[in-house]
Amino acid sequence: MAGICQAIRLLAIYLYVVSVDSIAITGASGGINQTTGKRPFREEFNNFQNSGPAFDLYILALQYIQTRNQSHTLSYYQIAGIHGRPFIPWEGVDGPNTYAGYCTHSSILFPPWHRPYLALFEQTLWNNAEWIAQTYPYSQQATYIAAARTLRIPYWDWVANPSMPSLVNNPNITINAPDGQRTMANPLFTYAFNPQPATSDFPLSDAPLSTYPESARWPDDSGNSQPSLANAQLVHNGPAIHDSLYLLIAQQSDYAPFSNTGYVDGQGGTYENLEDLHNQIHGLVGGNGHMGWIPYAGFDPIFFLHHANVDRLFAIWQAIYPDSYVTPQVDYGGTFTINSGTTEDTNTPLTPFKTDNSGTFHTPTTARSTKTFGYTYPEIVDWGVNTTQLSANVRKAFNKLYNPSNGLGKRHLDRHKRQCKTSWNETAAAHVTETSPEYAAVSREWLIHLRVSKFALNGSFFIHFFLGLVPSDSTLWSLAPTLVASHVIFSASTSQNHPTTLVRGQVPLTRRLVALVSRHTISDLTPGSVTPYLRTNLHWRVQLFNSTVIPVGSDSMNSLKIYVADMSVIGGEREDEFPVFGSVTGYRNVTDGRSGGLGSGDRF
């Protein structure tokens, strides 16, 4: 009883403090060695779910903030709503625009803005876990208090584990609570609105999504989640995401083109970026549900597992390339507080996140390091080493996890082949979905580059790429054996200020081409063999998340430009080395004269 009373007193003090001052975003403060800099890890979810007391506290703290009054500043509704809807001030930080939330997309600020956002979520859970730990029986209290001290949010590594963790799709969960074993509604499965937001906040123009009583993933006509559909598409696209991620971090040493879909100058012919990879997971997990649409994405609890991994990949890149960071870039989309056309840089406030109780905002400078917020990741042990040693260590760890020679991509393709072996064309499946052990030793990388208006279709959409036959039934496109990837354009309703905002992305082709070489369909990976095959067999289609087909040649898609390129590759010799990539060569003869294809006289 004494422990419960103490916990209530602590909670009362905590609630008083956050009610009288601005909320300083410092991250969780427990478990940090101020002398060495050693900090707790954010752990991969599949490991973290077996952590016992830490996982129990995480679930209980998440449940607590989800059930708080939605008007409370630190309720789940208010924190999730910072990202997009309901487009209202948080912590009194008002702005001139009513068409967007605070989140920065297609912006040089994309990676650093989300860092204090996650830190706010993490410190809110941590503060609540601290008092919850003290409500456990005396015999368990010390264990739970220790677990609370080092508690950090987990991440879902969707590169190594493309399926969603099974636990997040269970409606119920069993944990050890202060009153013993408890089976309860799973706060990772969905967030239930209570009450349903007013139409001024979730307008009927966004229906049916805005009318659902809880968050959903690939919802059916009744708004119920269909996680099996999401997982099937995640697994199908897993190899392309894996290869894109490896190429991005191994090749791109410049922050600006690495960071966001809106960067356009000096990319050297490669167009993958961290935001674009992040977009793929949003679309594949959410579809026409909350994760699939920017204004509503934060309300799905998997959002924070996903973004913790995005932050992790950003931190990995920073450790490998520590000298490159934010440079000035125009934001053509704008946010709740940033006008369209603003040039953003290292001094731009990351609203609404404050560094202290007096109201000073974080900037890209204050958010540059994870040290600021009291956490790190398993691959990034940055204490007791210099920057050169850290860079080498992180490259080695990254290679071990993601270099194609470790077989991760092959395993994902093989699993997908088993799942699709009864699909519409088994011959096509056998022809294109297997890979070969020679993939790790290829001397050329082949890529599809794409450019399109982010707001072309008044919402998010897919650009599907196929090698071979395209099913006549468009409902089969997203799982067709000939599908290379379903590329997600992650969007919202049309920007009121810059509706032609162009975004760029990239889809890897090499894995599929190696499979064709192994079957003697093409002789090798040289342009003389590859480009004639692609001219005949590479196809693309555009589709909304609700399965509506958009003709590629329609006026709404006149911004779409696609072309094929390759570059030479020389593999690294040591575990801590990356391959060396040559310059990029484009082949407009593959796409010239085709709807959506880059022609000889077009600019990309």
Side-chain angles (χ1 to χ4, degrees):
M1 180 62 70
I4 294 175
C5 291
Q6 163 123 0
I8 292 172
R9 285 196 296 272
L10 288 170
L11 176 60
I13 293 170
Y14 167 63
L15 293 176
Y16 173 75
V17 168
V18 300
S19 67
V20 296
D21 288 316
S22 294
I23 298 173
I25 312 302
T26 59
S29 59
I32 302 170
N33 188 315
Q34 300 295 342
T35 302
T36 65
K38 182 178 181 180
R39 308 178 301 288
F41 293 137
R42 289 179 178 172
E43 298 181 29
E44 209 283 323
F45 183 85
N46 290 287
N47 297 324
F48 179 69
Q49 67 181 349
N50 299 315
S51 62
F55 186 72
D56 295 335
L57 292 169
Y58 168 72
I59 292 296
L60 289 170
L62 181 57
Q63 179 206 38
Y64 177 77
I65 67 169
Q66 285 189 0
T67 55
R68 295 201 80 165
N69 188 301
Q70 289 181 174
S71 65
H72 194 285
T73 302
L74 293 176
S75 67
Y76 188 88
Y77 180 82
Q78 290 287 326
I79 293 173
I82 290 170
H83 190 263
R85 287 278 176 193
F87 303 166
I88 59 175
W90 186 82
E91 268 263 282
V93 181
D94 211 341
N97 303 312
T98 58
Y99 61 84
Y102 292 100
C103 67
T104 55
H105 289 267
S106 302
S107 158
I108 198 77
L109 305 182
F110 170 75
W113 183 90
H114 286 82
R115 182 162 282 171
Y117 186 33
L118 291 174
L120 166 64
F121 179 69
E122 185 165 69
Q123 77 183 49
T124 303
L125 290 181
W126 183 84
N127 280 320
N128 286 300
E130 286 272 289
W131 68 262
I132 291 171
Q134 298 197 44
T135 67
Y136 276 80
Y138 181 77
S139 61
Q140 301 176 47
Q141 241 180 58
T143 300
Y144 277 83
I145 289 172
R149 188 171 300 120
T150 58
L151 180 66
R152 299 296 186 270
I153 59 173
Y155 63 90
W156 162 38
D157 184 355
W158 33 258
V159 184
N161 305 295
S163 293
M164 289 181 286
S166 60
L167 192 61
V168 306
N169 288 314
N170 292 337
N172 297 306
I173 190 170
T174 300
I175 60 166
N176 181 44
D179 56 354
Q181 288 291 110
R182 182 193 300 176
T183 299
M184 53 186 271
N186 185 358
L188 293 168
F189 176 64
T190 191
Y191 168 65
F193 300 101
N194 184 26
Q196 184 70 20
T199 55
S200 57
D201 292 337
F202 282 23
L204 292 177
S205 58
D206 292 344
L209 183 67
S210 60
T211 66
Y212 292 152
E214 59 187 30
S215 62
R217 300 160 192 159
W218 279 103
D220 62 18
D221 292 341
S222 299
N224 300 310
S225 286
Q226 302 179 93
S228 60
L229 180 57
N231 272 334
Q233 295 184 85
L234 285 162
V235 170
H236 202 130
N237 285 273
I241 291 170
H242 170 275
D243 296 349
S244 292
L245 183 276
Y246 187 80
L247 285 173
L248 172 62
I249 291 190
Q251 182 188 16
Q252 186 54 264
S253 61
D254 185 356
Y255 171 85
F258 163 82
S259 64
N260 74 99
T261 59
Y263 184 79
V264 295
D265 297 324
Q267 295 194 19
T270 58
Y271 291 91
E272 191 55 281
N273 56 80
L274 183 64
E275 184 183 4
D276 186 58
L277 276 172
H278 139 278
N279 291 352
Q280 308 315 303
I281 304 304
H282 271 282
L284 295 169
V285 168
N288 55 335
H290 292 76
M291 272 285 281
W293 204 2
I294 289 175
Y296 295 91
F299 294 106
D300 188 331
I302 205 170
F303 173 95
F304 293 98
L305 297 178
H306 165 44
H307 266 276
N309 193 50
V310 175
D311 181 74
R312 167 178 163 266
L313 297 173
F314 174 36
I316 285 173
W317 184 90
Q318 287 182 296
I320 295 171
Y321 309 106
D323 297 328
S324 183
Y325 196 45
V326 171
T327 52
Q329 178 181 312
V330 175
D331 182 347
Y332 290 108
T335 72
F336 187 67
T337 54
I338 299 173
N339 286 321
S340 173
T342 298
T343 297
E344 299 164 335
D345 57 26
T346 54
N347 297 313
T348 302
L350 301 179
T351 52
F353 310 121
K354 299 166 186 174
T355 63
D356 52 43
N357 297 127
S358 65
T360 303
F361 289 112
H362 276 288
T363 67
T365 300
T366 65
R368 184 167 186 171
S369 174
T370 63
K371 297 175 185 178
T372 302
F373 303 104
Y375 69 92
T376 188
Y377 296 99
E379 299 83 9
I380 309 168
V381 179
D382 56 7
W383 49 91
V385 294
N386 59 37
T387 56
T388 301
Q389 291 169 324
L390 177 64
S391 179
N393 292 344
V394 175
R395 279 196 305 272
K396 182 177 179 179
F398 185 79
N399 272 333
K400 185 176 181 180
L401 280 170
Y402 303 124
N403 191 307
S405 64
N406 67 12
L408 276 172
K410 182 178 189 299
R411 184 176 72 239
H412 296 160
L413 277 174
D414 289 344
R415 178 167 56 187
H416 167 61
K417 182 191 172 190
R418 290 195 301 272
Q419 292 180 350
C420 293
K421 65 183 180 180
T422 58
S423 295
W424 63 278
N425 190 330
E426 287 193 33
T427 302
H431 186 63
V432 300
T433 60
E434 287 186 5
T435 188
S436 65
E438 292 83 9
Y439 176 66
V442 298
S443 59
R444 305 188 79 82
E445 285 287 349
W446 284 87
L447 308 162
I448 301 169
H449 291 158
L450 64 98
R451 182 211 74 188
V452 70
S453 171
K454 179 177 180 177
F455 303 107
L457 299 178
N458 202 33
S460 301
F461 57 96
F462 286 127
I463 304 173
H464 301 292
F465 291 96
F466 303 87
L467 274 184
L469 296 174
V470 179
S472 57
D473 183 350
S474 61
T475 64
L476 300 177
W477 286 356
S478 63
L479 295 177
T482 52
L483 181 73
V484 177
S486 296
H487 196 85
V488 173
I489 305 301
F490 187 42
S491 184
S493 57
T494 304
S495 169
Q496 296 180 9
N497 292 300
H498 202 81
T500 56
T501 299
L502 295 176
V503 293
R504 290 160 174 80
Q506 183 171 291
V507 175
L509 276 173
T510 308
R511 183 182 299 274
R512 292 302 183 91
L513 295 174
V514 168
L516 296 175
V517 172
S518 69
R519 282 163 179 72
H520 309 291
T521 303
I522 58 177
S523 58
D524 52 41
L525 294 182
T526 61
S529 296
V530 172
T531 57
Y533 178 84
L534 294 180
R535 176 71 187 182
T536 302
N537 293 282
L538 176 63
H539 306 285
W540 48 89
R541 300 289 189 270
V542 178
Q543 189 176 36
L544 301 180
F545 288 171
N546 65 6
S547 296
T548 301
V549 176
I550 306 299
V552 173
S554 64
D555 289 344
S556 60
M557 293 307 298
N558 59 15
S559 63
L560 178 63
K561 292 298 177 185
I562 292 164
Y563 80 100
V564 171
D566 78 341
M567 57 185 171
S568 63
V569 184
I570 300 174
E573 296 181 356
R574 300 198 317 265
E575 290 179 319
D576 63 353
E577 286 185 340
F578 285 153
V580 176
F581 299 92
S583 59
V584 175
T585 302
Y587 299 95
R588 298 184 183 218
N589 58 313
V590 173
T591 54
D592 190 17
R594 304 174 64 183
S595 291
L598 193 72
S600 57
D602 293 332
R603 295 185 62 184
F604 192 72

